[in-house]
Amino acid sequence: LTFPLLSVTLLVSFGSSMLYGYNLAVVNSPAKHIKAFYNATWSQRYGHGLAPGALTLLYALTVSIFALGGLVGSLLVGVLVERYGRNGALSRSALLVLLASGFMGFSRELGSPEMVIIGRSITGLHSGGCCLGCAQPLPHGPVFYSHSQGVGEGFIFPTGCVKGIFICLGIFSAQVLGLPELLGKDRFWPLFLSVVVVPASLQLLLLHCFPESPRYLLIERNDVCGATEALHQFLGTPDVQDVIEEMKEEQRSLSSMEMVSVWQLLRDRSVRWQTLSVVVVNAGMQLSGIDAIWFYTNTIFENAGIPVSQIPYTTMGTGAIELVAGLVGCFTIEKVGRRPLIITGFCAMGVCSAGITISLLLQAALPWMRYVSIACVVGIIAGFCMGPAGVPFLMTAELFMQSHRPAAYIVGGSLNWLCNFTVGFIFPFLQMSAGAFCYLVFCGVCLLVALYVYLVIPETKNKTFMEISHIFA
């Protein structure tokens, strides 16, 4: 791994994946301050405060609108990349973060809750394009790619490990900055939300120092000289002719290949089990309850009886464990395989979700059960980071041939964002109506997905598409 390649990998992940993780967790700590601002603003405008249900609805929309923006961003990113290139798409996405930061940073001064909601939706638009869309891996991933290494093998490190680690790092950063000693006070919450401007600005300033993706230059622009020069800088070697010839072969292959649409993918009976597997795993990843944990950690701990003064530090501790679990998952996926990690992860999450329900029901009689709740939350996060967090994206690439892969990613990515929005929006109401039993919904989802993976999805490690297709058949 050369220094230029490592540098651009870290830069893009810092300004994309880390921002995605940060925006997942940033609304958790200042929840009561944002709600108080909404209530006070409503009272100033209309002479009376918001009813509890209406306030919950408005805050749930603030939390979940991020995912709707992400859905739109993931659908538009292909157009941006085709028009402006990978670096150009990333730069324009960074400009969106600057705009969102302005909306959220000045929302209290202007007395506008709408600006917070708009800012959250714009940050989602950025994350959909840069992190869970296709712009983030492309500037550096194709340099690693080699047909001889098998599907996905060549870019596991930059687009899988680094991406997952930076998402965890972004969540942990939000938890640290949300401490009362830092930006966790009432007067700082607009600044807390707008901190995203820092990594986006750094990416915007430094991205022009690196060349465009060699694969994009050669395959899409047919710029052989530009691709050769970019490879020289990325690989640090004068002999790149083998890589150029390989990309030319890929260019010829793609030019003669007809890409299927989403509708054609859904109707193709030859890959129906692969498509169903993408649907089940990607939907299950978000419906597992992990988004509820990220969005509402403080509320969950408060209901579990953790003293309010200890909640921020408990939340930060879970973030540290999450970061460690993400590292463990990244470095074991090629040794253990995809299937064992995802089955174990979903099973652990299901058991721990049931454990939260039991601990909440028994905490009145047994005060020490609050610590069981903490352990279960940690178990859900660790189980997710070690398996379901990264494996579905890798599996999607390995289950389909190149002609079907873009459509499969659209299906999986759209389900990710839609289910993210669903959980973020309905969880407060589910918690109000079902109480401790709401976590049993997540338990059922996790165990059903684990059972499906066990019965249907084969191990894809070191297997070609034809071998995987034959196993499904």
Side-chain angles (χ1 to χ4, degrees), residues 49 241 249 265 317 319 431:
Q241 192 57 37
E249 181 182 346
L265 175 71
Q431 199 173 36

Side-chain angles (χ1 to χ4, degrees), residues 140-161 246 330 333-338 393-395 397-399 405 409 459-465 467-468:
H140 45 284
V143 176
F144 284 89
Y145 184 73
S146 173
H147 292 291
S148 62
Q149 292 172 300
V151 177
E153 295 271 340
F155 50 84
I156 285 172
F157 175 77
T159 64
C161 290
E246 188 173 344
C330 286
I333 187 170
E334 284 307 299
K335 294 181 180 179
V336 178
R338 289 78 161 124
F393 299 107
L394 187 57
M395 265 191 174
E398 295 176 334
L399 293 180
R405 204 170 292 150
Y409 268 113
E459 177 57 64
T460 58
K461 175 187 174 184
N462 295 332
K463 288 186 174 66
T464 65
F465 168 78
E467 291 172 334
I468 295 170

Side-chain angles (χ1 to χ4, degrees), residues 121-140:
S121 65
I122 294 174
T123 57
L125 195 66
H126 166 268
S127 292
C130 289
C131 181
L132 298 185
C134 61
Q136 192 261 359
L138 290 176
H140 45 284

Side-chain angles (χ1 to χ4, degrees), residues 47 50 60-61 119 168 175 209 256 276 286 410 472:
L50 283 161
L61 179 63
C168 295
Q175 292 165 342
C209 299
S256 62
L276 181 60
Q286 300 299 336
I410 291 174
F472 270 107

Side-chain angles (χ1 to χ4, degrees), residues 27 30 33-42 44-45 58-59 62 98-122 186-195:
V27 289
H33 306 313
I34 296 174
K35 289 179 181 178
F37 164 66
Y38 286 178
N39 203 35
T41 304
W42 195 270
Q44 291 173 3
R45 289 181 181 180
L58 190 59
Y59 182 71
T62 304
L98 305 187
L99 178 63
S101 179
F103 272 105
M104 295 184 291
F106 292 103
S107 58
R108 186 169 61 181
E109 296 298 323
L110 299 176
S112 175
E114 297 85 355
M115 292 177 67
V116 181
I117 297 173
I118 293 172
R120 285 281 294 169
S121 65
I122 294 174
D186 179 41
R187 66 179 185 272
F188 290 141
W189 69 261
L191 176 61
F192 186 30
L193 294 182
S194 59
V195 163

Side-chain angles (χ1 to χ4, degrees), residues 57-290:
L57 177 66
L58 190 59
Y59 182 71
L61 179 63
T62 304
V63 171
S64 57
I65 197 71
F66 171 74
L68 285 187
L71 174 62
V72 175
S74 64
L75 296 176
L76 293 178
V77 67
V79 177
L80 283 174
V81 171
E82 183 178 354
R83 178 172 297 182
Y84 301 111
R86 276 56 171 176
N87 288 3
L90 287 168
S91 298
R92 284 160 176 79
S93 295
L95 291 174
L96 288 176
V97 178
L98 305 187
L99 178 63
S101 179
F103 272 105
M104 295 184 291
F106 292 103
S107 58
R108 186 169 61 181
E109 296 298 323
L110 299 176
S112 175
E114 297 85 355
M115 292 177 67
V116 181
I117 297 173
I118 293 172
R120 285 281 294 169
S121 65
I122 294 174
T123 57
L125 195 66
H126 166 268
S127 292
C130 289
C131 181
L132 298 185
C134 61
Q136 192 261 359
L138 290 176
H140 45 284
V143 176
F144 284 89
Y145 184 73
S146 173
H147 292 291
S148 62
Q149 292 172 300
V151 177
E153 295 271 340
F155 50 84
I156 285 172
F157 175 77
T159 64
C161 290
V162 174
K163 177 178 174 180
I165 291 169
F166 270 82
I167 291 175
C168 295
L169 190 59
I171 294 170
F172 183 62
S173 300
Q175 292 165 342
V176 171
L177 290 176
L179 292 175
E181 294 83 357
L182 298 175
L183 300 180
K185 295 183 175 66
D186 179 41
R187 66 179 185 272
F188 290 141
W189 69 261
L191 176 61
F192 186 30
L193 294 182
S194 59
V195 163
V196 291
V197 72
V198 176
S201 298
L202 286 175
Q203 186 183 78
L204 193 61
L205 291 172
L206 298 178
L207 196 60
H208 72 277
C209 299
F210 299 95
E212 183 59 86
S213 162
R215 185 179 182 274
Y216 170 77
L217 291 171
L218 192 145
I219 294 178
E220 298 189 31
R221 288 189 179 179
N222 203 28
D223 184 1
V224 179
C225 294
T228 303
E229 184 178 348
L231 284 171
H232 285 321
Q233 294 186 48
F234 277 132
L235 299 181
T237 175
D239 185 13
V240 295
Q241 192 57 37
D242 290 344
V243 184
I244 291 292
E245 290 301 323
E246 188 173 344
M247 288 194 292
K248 285 183 177 179
E249 181 182 346
E250 184 181 359
Q251 183 186 37
R252 289 189 291 269
S253 175
L254 291 174
S255 64
S256 62
M257 183 184 299
E258 184 179 353
M259 296 294 179
V260 303
S261 65
V262 172
W263 179 241
Q264 289 172 322
L265 175 71
L266 297 177
R267 295 184 61 188
D268 192 342
R269 295 176 63 86
S270 66
V271 292
R272 61 181 175 180
W273 281 105
Q274 290 94 318
T275 305
L276 181 60
S277 298
V278 168
V279 169
V280 170
V281 174
N282 280 276
M285 181 170 65
Q286 300 299 336
L287 297 178
S288 64
I290 189 63

